[in-house]
Amino acid sequence: MIRWIVTDLDGTLVGRDLAMVPSSRDALRRFVASGGEVVIATGRMELSALRYYEELGLTGAAILYNGARTVDLGTGAVLRSRHLPVNAWKALLDLFEELPRGVYPVAFSGGEALAVHDVPELRDYARRDGITLRDPGDWSALTPGEITKCMLIGDRLPELDIPGTVTVRSEATYLEVLPEGATKGAALRELAASRGVPLEQIAAVGDNPNDIDMIMTAGLGAAVGDGHPQVRAVADVVVGACADGAVADVVELALGSHP
């Protein structure tokens, strides 16, 4: 029996218009009404994920920053938090000086998104996520040890190997640098253990490589039909395209598991 559905947002529950796919939204509401629980798992930060959390009428935990933070968005309580090691942040600061033209960093600290460049690529990112990027003036103004994650945005993303970190592609032009051990799957395992929910009673769905660990962790791992080939290759089931109600398909599978 599936008790939880854990869903990615962009490209899974949320379409290109930045709205939830109506059939998927309505199906999740039916799942909650049947006694199930829905958990959002996203690369987005608190403010960016909140509109979808509230539209679904959720309570309880949301997995944010690709697993670096788990927050009860109803109360603001931080349930799990990971930060980039100090030496990793220093290595990133050195890297910022050598980034290819057209690649721009965004750092996240204390629930804020920060950037020192004002360029179309970052303005588009902020618009898409519904956030405001604050200019710290200089990266050195941030406190080492309090950086939740860093993103590089652009078309010529470098290959990185920084000790104490993991990197994931959340979009074709988004490279996310996260604290080691901060993945959606790790956050899900910890959250499920804290709530006493067996992993085999959890379904998870996503579309991009940053969802793979989560999909492989859940008892039922589902890939969006028009998602990344690597995700489809590891999933237990491939459902419809995002716009066709991928999450609604997962809900039907979950409800079908109930006696």
Side-chain angles (χ1 to χ4, degrees):
M1 184 178 75
I2 299 298
R3 293 167 56 184
W4 285 10
I5 291 177
V6 184
T7 179
D8 172 54
L9 288 179
D10 298 287
T12 300
L13 176 61
V14 175
R16 294 185 182 275
D17 61 355
L18 304 182
M20 284 191 285
V21 176
S23 60
S24 291
R25 177 199 60 210
D26 295 345
L28 287 176
R29 288 173 173 169
R30 289 198 305 275
F31 182 71
V32 172
S34 75
E37 185 168 339
V38 172
V39 177
I40 288 172
T42 178
R44 291 176 180 250
M45 59 188 293
E46 292 90 339
L47 179 62
S48 183
L50 183 61
R51 59 174 282 201
Y52 303 108
Y53 179 94
E54 291 181 338
E55 187 175 348
L56 286 169
L58 302 182
T59 59
I63 296 169
L64 308 174
Y65 302 94
N66 274 315
R69 235 178 180 197
T70 302
V71 180
D72 184 326
L73 288 178
T75 66
V78 178
L79 308 177
R80 178 182 191 268
S81 185
R82 300 290 183 272
H83 297 94
L84 291 171
V86 171
N87 286 341
W89 174 242
K90 290 179 179 178
L92 283 166
L93 289 180
D94 292 339
L95 174 73
F96 292 171
E97 303 296 325
E98 304 172 359
L99 287 174
R101 183 180 178 87
V103 177
Y104 305 99
V106 178
F108 297 81
S109 180
E112 288 190 301
L114 306 116
V116 300
H117 299 92
D118 182 14
V119 294
E121 292 89 338
L122 295 190
R123 289 196 293 270
D124 182 65
Y125 163 69
R127 176 199 59 80
R128 173 180 171 175
D129 269 31
I131 61 174
T132 299
L133 295 174
R134 182 174 72 81
D135 184 352
D138 188 274
W139 289 120
S140 62
L142 276 62
T143 303
E146 295 184 4
I147 314 299
T148 304
K149 76 170 184 177
C150 177
M151 284 181 65
L152 301 180
I153 296 177
D155 292 322
R156 300 167 59 202
L157 296 170
E159 296 291 330
L160 300 183
D161 184 14
I162 299 175
T165 73
V166 294
T167 57
V168 292
R169 291 286 187 105
S170 53
E171 298 286 345
T173 57
Y174 295 175
L175 179 66
E176 308 211 10
V177 185
L178 297 155
E180 195 168 45
T183 67
K184 291 184 181 183
L188 175 57
R189 288 189 288 273
E190 191 168 312
L191 180 62
S194 72
R195 297 281 304 277
V197 176
L199 293 175
E200 59 266 24
Q201 296 182 3
I202 298 173
V205 56
D207 70 310
N208 261 318
N210 60 314
D211 297 313
I212 287 175
D213 184 29
M214 174 181 79
I215 286 169
M216 295 181 70
T217 293
L220 175 64
V224 177
D226 55 350
H228 196 284
Q230 291 178 7
V231 184
R232 299 199 303 269
V234 302
D236 298 310
V237 61
V238 177
V239 293
C242 172
D244 295 335
V247 178
D249 291 345
V250 176
V251 172
E252 292 307 311
L253 291 171
L255 290 177
S257 74
H258 289 245

